[in-house]
Amino acid sequence: MTIAVVDSGGANIASVLHALGRLGAEPQFTADPETIRTADRVILPGVGAAGHAMNVLQNRSLVDLIRSLTQPVLGICLGMQLLFDSSEEDDASLLGLIPARLARLPEQEGLRVPHMGWNAISRKREDPLTKSLDRNWFYFVHSFAAPIGEWTLSSSRHGTEFSAIVRQDNFSGAQFHPQRSAGAGAHLLKNFLECPQT
């Protein structure tokens, strides 16, 4: 199995590659369109700001390519957010694969934004990606979040309920960092690698 990890200009890539390597995978970190187009699985990671990430993808001629992919694709953290229509962050237009807008998490007494730490997830609907993950805890670092909708597989809460795992056709995403979420995170990555072609 070939796995392309898209070079979208973000940080924290080494931990994603190491997490996949621990599962026996041999991912390729790349911005090459042909390598991404022909991979069996594609992972879109990201740490940073939505507007900057979209500029990087545009400059590398990857926006239309990613939109056209038919194999399983997993967005991680900002990579998941990029799957949506738009974000309040930078008032950015995103990939437009999921019809919703990301909003900043609410400022509430006793809750910090950005949300940094461990949260449990709650299953919204059955899916091979979330098999055996309901009520597990994952590590989150984010200030913006996706609303709940028909794309939501699992949710979590920080001041408000938000989408923690999403799927739209062959595109799925995790708001948390599976590579930093111990056994539960490894299980999600394993599920993704084993998910049937949609």
Side-chain angles (χ1 to χ4, degrees):
M1 175 184 290
T2 56
I3 305 167
V5 178
V6 178
D7 181 359
S8 56
N12 201 33
I13 300 302
S15 61
V16 175
L17 300 176
H18 288 316
L20 292 166
R22 286 193 294 271
L23 295 173
E26 297 181 359
Q28 185 169 357
F29 182 51
T30 181
D32 177 63
E34 185 63 13
T35 300
I36 296 167
R37 186 185 67 78
T38 58
D40 296 313
R41 298 285 186 275
V42 174
I43 294 179
L44 180 61
V47 174
H52 172 73
M54 285 302 298
N55 286 338
V56 171
L57 293 178
Q58 194 71 55
N59 290 338
R60 295 178 180 175
S61 300
L62 295 178
V63 171
D64 289 339
L65 171 70
I66 292 170
R67 288 171 175 157
S68 73
L69 295 176
T70 58
Q71 67 269 58
V73 178
L74 176 68
I76 295 175
C77 193
L78 178 60
M80 183 200 96
Q81 296 185 2
L82 295 180
L83 301 178
F84 285 78
D85 270 343
S86 62
S87 176
E88 287 183 1
E89 183 180 28
D90 305 323
D91 194 27
S93 294
L94 307 178
L95 291 169
L97 297 163
I98 301 177
R101 181 173 173 83
L102 294 133
R104 184 172 174 83
L105 291 167
E107 302 275 358
Q108 294 184 11
E109 185 175 354
L111 292 177
R112 295 182 179 178
V113 176
H115 169 212
M116 300 177 65
W118 293 82
N119 271 55
I121 64 171
S122 299
R123 184 175 57 235
K124 291 291 188 181
R125 60 185 174 96
E126 296 286 346
D127 189 271
L129 184 62
T130 56
K131 181 181 178 182
S132 303
L133 292 179
D134 192 38
R135 304 296 176 182
N136 274 268
W137 289 71
F138 295 89
Y139 186 73
F140 291 81
V141 180
H142 62 123
S143 297
F144 295 82
I148 303 297
E150 61 184 13
W151 51 83
T152 307
L153 300 182
S154 297
S155 67
S156 192
R157 179 173 290 277
H158 187 79
T160 187
E161 188 179 25
F162 61 87
S163 290
I165 305 176
V166 300
R167 179 193 289 282
Q168 185 84 350
D169 301 320
N170 59 304
F171 292 92
S172 55
Q175 179 59 71
F176 50 82
H177 290 275
Q179 75 278 11
R180 293 187 170 185
S181 298
H187 195 98
L188 178 122
L189 292 174
K190 183 173 183 290
N191 285 351
F192 172 69
L193 297 181
E194 295 177 351
C195 273
Q197 187 88 18
T198 53

